[in-house]
Amino acid sequence: GYDAFSLDNDRFTRSDEPGFDKQKTHATSAIIDIANANIDWQILLAASDHETDYAYDEDWTFVGFHPWEYSSFDRYYREKSVVNLDVRAVSSQPSQWLGLNTDWTVGLYIKDDNENLLRQYTYLASDFASEFNTQTVALYGETTWHLADVTRLITGLRVENRAADYLDTDNFSQTTDETMVGGRISLDHDLTDTQLVYAMLARGFKSGGVNPNNELTLDKRIFNSETNWSLELGYKQQLLNSRGYWQLSVFSIERNNQQTNQWQIDTSSNPPEFTGYVGNVDNGNHSGLELEWQIPMGDTFEFTGSVGYLATKLDLIDRGEDGQIANREAAQAPNFTYHFATRWFANENWAFMLIAEGKDKEYFSESHDEQSKAVSLVHANVSYNIEDWSIRFWIKNLTNQDYYIKGFGGFGNDPRDGYTAKPYYQYGNPKQTGVSFSYSF
């Protein structure tokens, strides 16, 4: 059994009904390539069936723990089937359009997605069930215009229609049918044989939907589609006969009706209710830069790494009875991130690797102001390779750091302090050691 939270914010649970997280998937796919003199046809067909079963002990304790206790268990069982069809035509050699050599791709994408949910919860009078069916059809195309031997203009467009039907046992139904448009235009220029600069403007979208939870108020059952505009500028350079590289990009994204993971918290109910859902905030801005590199030092050492800076701002967050919050940073968006790795090839068989990674503090959710701590982790591994065989010994979180990966704020769940509101945290994995073996054929 498994439960992620505890009343004392440690790694020990008192749950008498431990939760679980199970999944069973059957999937198959086929790819058909048909090559012609001028056009290559690519057909991708995939189908999958999924069964997921997720549950947790909501009270985090056992019967008899405290005179003011409550006991409840929450379980979500889902059956999901998905069929995808993607048919595209790709130019096998440059075509002449408007006096320019062009490479192009056009395609048709179809997706049928059906999901059935069964929720069994202690405080529901009867089981809750819902059906959510979506059909997506999209037409897309992309063209690369060779303006010169060293300059390329890339234009792309996608038009997508998504129809959805939702129905649950509370007789709540919702039917949507929306058409969304996205695309991009970018300019790539080769400064030299090993140096590239580029600029890209793109428009993206995420469709709206329904939150399948009858504990939510009606205004939170539906969330709207999101659109965004992004601008990116970048530079790339290959090093040492293409064995190494470094690249830098700066970006800015404006998100309209930004979709976020939020929580509805009701401390007046008995027991307290905390219900997750997808909601919209007014607008969001994400700007930053990313630097990445891979530098070999002879045949023995290799240094790889990346650093990132991210600045975010949400114009307005509506927290219902708790009022509105303006100009706050987005959740799960640390200002700084880094990842450094050093690999030493002792000989043709043995390799040693040391990894350091970390990130700044970040908000857990738009629904409250609890934050994680900044974290720095160290990992190491030793590998032995011979012909097609490989064995690797590894240690993750070498220094056994305690750090948070999720957190709640603004509610009480502990009868010992009269259900006083306070934060609760889920810890990341402690130090782990293991061995991996692989054989390629």
Side-chain angles (χ1 to χ4, degrees):
Y2 166 79
D3 274 308
F5 292 89
S6 71
L7 294 181
D8 295 314
N9 278 324
D10 54 24
R11 298 184 187 276
F12 300 94
T13 179
R14 295 182 171 88
S15 299
D16 56 356
E17 297 178 286
F20 45 80
D21 194 353
K22 306 173 183 179
Q23 177 169 335
K24 181 170 66 175
T25 292
H26 296 93
T28 185
S29 63
I31 301 175
I32 301 173
D33 289 323
I34 304 173
N36 292 320
N38 298 314
I39 300 175
D40 290 338
W41 290 92
Q42 300 173 355
I43 304 172
L44 298 87
L45 177 63
S48 59
D49 288 298
H50 313 268
E51 295 180 27
T52 64
D53 203 355
Y54 174 73
Y56 59 92
D57 189 337
E58 189 177 45
D59 54 278
W60 307 345
T61 60
F62 54 90
V63 175
F65 173 71
H66 193 275
W68 296 348
E69 69 185 24
Y70 72 96
S71 178
S72 62
F73 188 74
D74 206 357
R75 179 183 182 182
Y76 298 81
Y77 177 74
R78 288 179 170 88
E79 293 181 335
K80 184 180 179 72
S81 63
V82 183
V83 177
N84 296 283
L85 174 65
D86 194 352
V87 180
R88 65 183 66 160
V90 182
S91 60
S92 55
Q93 59 183 354
S95 304
Q96 279 286 323
W97 288 3
L98 302 178
L100 297 172
N101 286 333
T102 61
D103 299 306
W104 52 266
T105 299
V106 294
L108 169 68
Y109 175 81
I110 301 174
K111 179 181 180 181
D112 186 76
D113 190 335
N114 302 293
E115 179 177 309
N116 295 326
L117 166 67
L118 175 65
R119 184 190 182 198
Q120 298 174 324
Y121 179 47
T122 302
Y123 291 100
L124 288 179
S126 59
D127 292 348
F128 173 82
S130 66
E131 297 180 2
F132 192 34
N133 304 316
T134 63
Q135 293 79 40
T136 302
V137 178
L139 293 172
Y140 62 89
E142 184 172 276
T143 303
T144 300
W145 307 79
H146 297 272
L147 305 181
D149 291 340
V150 294
T151 307
R152 296 162 299 280
L153 177 67
I154 303 170
T155 57
L157 182 69
R158 182 184 182 94
V159 180
E160 179 174 301
N161 176 265
R162 184 175 185 267
D165 292 292
Y166 174 87
L167 177 65
D168 63 34
T169 49
D170 286 346
N171 291 322
F172 178 81
S173 62
Q174 181 72 18
T175 298
T176 60
D177 192 326
E178 57 182 335
T179 299
M180 298 161 286
V181 179
R184 70 160 179 156
I185 179 170
S186 66
L187 185 66
D188 297 354
H189 178 70
D190 299 326
L191 296 175
T192 67
D193 290 341
T194 60
Q195 298 179 75
L196 167 74
V197 292
Y198 68 90
M200 181 179 68
L201 177 67
R203 186 183 193 271
F205 56 81
K206 295 173 67 177
S207 60
V210 179
N211 290 299
N213 197 312
N214 59 342
E215 293 179 324
L216 294 169
T217 57
L218 286 178
D219 61 309
K220 295 182 175 66
R221 295 298 301 272
I222 302 170
F223 58 95
N224 298 320
S225 58
E226 171 190 337
T227 59
N228 66 70
W229 285 96
S230 62
L231 175 65
E232 182 177 343
L233 307 174
Y235 172 86
K236 300 179 181 181
Q237 182 179 10
Q238 292 182 331
L239 305 171
L240 303 174
N241 298 321
S242 300
R243 292 179 55 216
Y245 71 91
W246 75 274
Q247 60 187 42
L248 173 68
S249 63
V250 294
F251 61 87
S252 180
I253 305 173
E254 292 288 340
R255 302 175 64 177
N256 302 310
N257 287 329
Q258 178 176 335
Q259 294 176 9
T260 60
N261 292 321
Q262 301 184 39
W263 291 88
Q264 174 180 283
I265 301 173
D266 183 5
T267 57
S268 63
S269 66
N270 186 19
E273 292 181 354
F274 36 98
T275 307
Y277 67 97
V278 177
N280 297 97
V281 299
D282 191 8
N283 295 301
N285 175 268
H286 299 63
S287 301
L289 61 86
E290 294 177 338
L291 175 63
E292 182 180 340
W293 64 88
Q294 177 177 308
I295 303 175
M297 303 292 289
D299 296 327
T300 306
F301 284 96
E302 181 181 81
F303 300 96
T304 61
S306 63
V307 293
Y309 171 74
L310 178 64
T312 63
K313 185 183 75 169
L314 302 182
D315 288 349
L316 190 67
I317 305 172
D318 189 352
R319 294 182 176 172
E321 296 179 356
D322 294 330
Q324 297 178 332
I325 302 294
N327 299 326
R328 205 202 75 169
E329 290 183 343
Q332 301 171 7
N335 291 134
F336 298 98
T337 57
Y338 71 87
H339 183 281
F340 305 134
T342 301
R343 180 177 289 154
W344 173 41
F345 300 95
N347 53 44
E348 63 180 6
N349 302 119
W350 288 96
F352 301 83
M353 192 171 187
L354 188 65
I355 303 167
E357 64 175 346
K359 62 180 179 178
D360 199 10
K361 62 184 180 180
E362 59 185 335
Y363 288 104
F364 290 117
S365 170
E366 269 72 40
S367 300
H368 56 78
D369 293 321
E370 294 300 328
Q371 291 180 282
S372 69
K373 300 183 294 185
V375 58
S376 295
L377 303 176
V378 178
H379 319 292
N381 65 69
V382 179
S383 60
Y384 180 79
N385 304 277
I386 182 170
E387 296 181 350
D388 299 326
W389 305 82
S390 175
I391 186 168
R392 185 166 61 94
F393 303 91
W394 48 265
I395 303 177
K396 297 180 181 180
N397 193 1
L398 183 63
T399 57
N400 201 30
Q401 293 291 311
D402 284 332
Y403 61 100
Y404 305 140
I405 60 174
K406 195 172 184 180
F408 292 109
F411 75 94
N413 204 38
D414 192 341
R416 297 172 300 181
D417 59 15
Y419 294 103
T420 300
K422 60 184 179 183
Y424 293 101
Y425 304 107
Q426 177 185 349
Y427 283 90
N429 289 327
K431 183 169 127 177
Q432 297 174 291
T433 59
V435 58
S436 301
F437 173 80
S438 65
Y439 171 67
S440 300
F441 59 91

